[in-house]
């Protein structure tokens, strides 16, 4: 038996496909939207259409932006000779929030994952090498995730970049700040020991 | 510093307002939508517009429907002399899934909650009394939630319905099936004892 009207069912299904949303939350959201005043529900639909139409990749760093260049690439106060390579715009946002990095970025839009059919061609590796070829870059920091795909991508990029005679580094792995050593997993702990710094 | 392009920020904000969605999930969904092919993101926007335009209240039971009457009210096989009063369409769906109830429903679209400014006038109480006045109704089952608002609504409705000489009942409260008595909270346990049935 079909409990819901078809347009409602279709709405629930659209939300159910989204990451982090299960059937119950999808229903809850669908009913929430139906309960909104017409103009507010239209605002949601418009926000989706609008974002998908206006947002594209920055011509330089491939970050998502409205304009030709993203605000970071346009910013003359930033150090354009240091590039931090990240997997996606979310990683970029996380690093920006630390306010520790004043260089520019390069967004790969993914990580190498042969099982998912994602190789270097699906990423913005070509665009990165293009940027590195113009001699104005002094340092590349690879800030891909610390999972298998992120590590594989870091390895792959390091092989490409090392011959270019550019300072190359990988962000540090080790204990998260504020944790007890006794609760750290073995892999993290061995990375922390391996990456020890003189003091 | 604004990390995101404005249309993206607006999209994240729209999702952040939804129930059960925090900032991180909102971001994740927004980036997921941006990563979709154009036609698929358009499908989401269309599903929202479509549902909000086509769905309205059933002329009889106030359930959400596409047509004049909802499928349950249109179904001649159901017992139209028994009305189950629920707070919202989600409760209706939950009861339908049990397949235990063959009567029809009345959806209040909320519960009495003076603190939120919701009184009987904001609910479909008038429509319910209208239905009860035509003598064809034998029984009313009140299936509002077991929280304070749901209980207050049940009390209020019982006062209105009792003088009408219609069989009136409230769904049972007690131990959820499959739980240990030792872990039940006191209020539930006292309701379970209070509502004990001879065997």
């Amino acid at each position: 038996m079909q409990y819901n009207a078809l347009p409602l069912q279709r709405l629930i299904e659209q939300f159910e496909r989204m990451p982090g949303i299960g059937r119950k939350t999808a229903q809850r959201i669908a009913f929430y939207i139906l309960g909104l005043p017409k103009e507010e529900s239209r605002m949601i639909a418009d926000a989706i259409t609008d974002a998908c139409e206006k947002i594209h990749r920055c011509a330089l760093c491939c970050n998502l932006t409205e304009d030709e260049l993203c605000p970071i690439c346009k910013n003359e106060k930033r150090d354009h000779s240091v590039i931090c390579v990240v997997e996606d715009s979310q990683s970029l946002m996380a690093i920006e929030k630390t306010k520790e990095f004043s260089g520019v970025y390069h967004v790969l839009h993914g990580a190498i994952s042969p099982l998912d059919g994602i190789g270097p061609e699906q990423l913005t590796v070509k665009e990165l090498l293009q940027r590195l070829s113009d001699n104005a870059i002094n340092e590349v920091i690879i800030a891909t995730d610390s999972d298998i795909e992120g590590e594989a991508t870091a390895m792959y990029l390091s092989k490409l970049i090392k011959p270019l005679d550019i300072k190359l580094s990988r962000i540090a792995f080790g204990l998260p700040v504020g944790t007890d050593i006794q609760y750290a997993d073995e892999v993290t702990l061995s990375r922390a020991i391996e990456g020890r710094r003189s003091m």
Side-chain angles (χ1 to χ4, degrees), chain A:
Chain A
M1 153 96 211
Q2 171 77 43
Y3 311 118
N4 290 321
L6 203 66
L8 174 57
Q9 195 54 41
R10 237 182 269 129
L11 186 59
I12 294 174
E13 277 160 18
Q14 289 294 345
F15 281 108
E16 225 180 328
R17 293 170 44 201
M18 294 180 183
I21 294 191
R23 168 148 280 260
K24 292 253 170 172
T25 310
Q27 281 177 9
R28 210 167 146 203
I29 295 174
F31 282 109
Y32 161 83
I33 291 178
L34 285 180
L36 287 176
K38 269 248 154 63
E39 60 275 23
E40 289 195 35
S41 58
R42 180 159 291 282
M43 268 170 66
I44 302 176
D46 288 349
I48 294 173
T49 320
D50 206 46
C52 293
E53 266 166 19
K54 289 190 186 154
I55 296 211
H56 49 84
R57 293 182 180 181
C58 167
L60 207 55
C61 75
C62 302
N63 186 17
L64 297 175
T65 177
E66 269 184 286
D67 307 317
E68 170 79 4
L69 291 179
C70 77
I72 296 172
C73 286
K74 268 192 288 195
N75 191 339
E76 288 179 9
K77 285 185 192 149
R78 304 202 57 134
D79 184 353
H80 288 257
S81 70
V82 182
I83 293 182
C84 178
V85 180
V86 291
E87 288 186 19
D88 43 43
S89 299
Q90 291 105 301
S91 300
L92 184 154
M93 276 167 60
I95 294 175
E96 276 299 279
K97 276 182 193 154
T98 67
K99 297 189 168 56
E100 280 293 321
F101 181 69
S102 60
V104 292
Y105 292 90
H106 191 83
V107 181
L108 293 174
H109 289 285
I112 293 172
S113 171
L115 283 179
D116 301 317
I118 301 174
E121 316 75 46
Q122 275 75 45
L123 309 178
T124 61
V125 173
K126 210 174 69 188
E127 289 83 347
L128 175 62
L129 294 178
Q130 183 67 38
R131 287 176 78 184
L132 297 182
S133 68
D134 73 351
N135 278 330
I137 310 297
N138 294 328
E139 185 177 358
V140 173
I141 302 168
I142 300 184
T144 51
D145 293 345
S146 63
D147 53 14
I148 297 175
E149 292 80 13
E151 287 286 81
T153 311
M155 291 277 280
Y156 177 83
L157 290 178
S158 76
K159 275 188 192 152
L160 289 179
I161 299 170
K162 264 187 186 154
L164 302 179
D165 199 30
I166 292 171
K167 198 175 152 194
L168 181 69
S169 59
R170 177 96 172 97
I171 51 165
F173 296 117
L175 286 186
V177 176
T179 49
D180 276 16
I181 288 183
Q182 58 175 327
Y183 300 128
D185 65 286
E186 288 162 43
V187 188
T188 301
L189 203 49
S190 28
R191 292 291 288 265
I193 295 169
E194 193 186 310
R196 67 191 179 278
R197 297 174 60 173
S198 58
M199 57 178 284

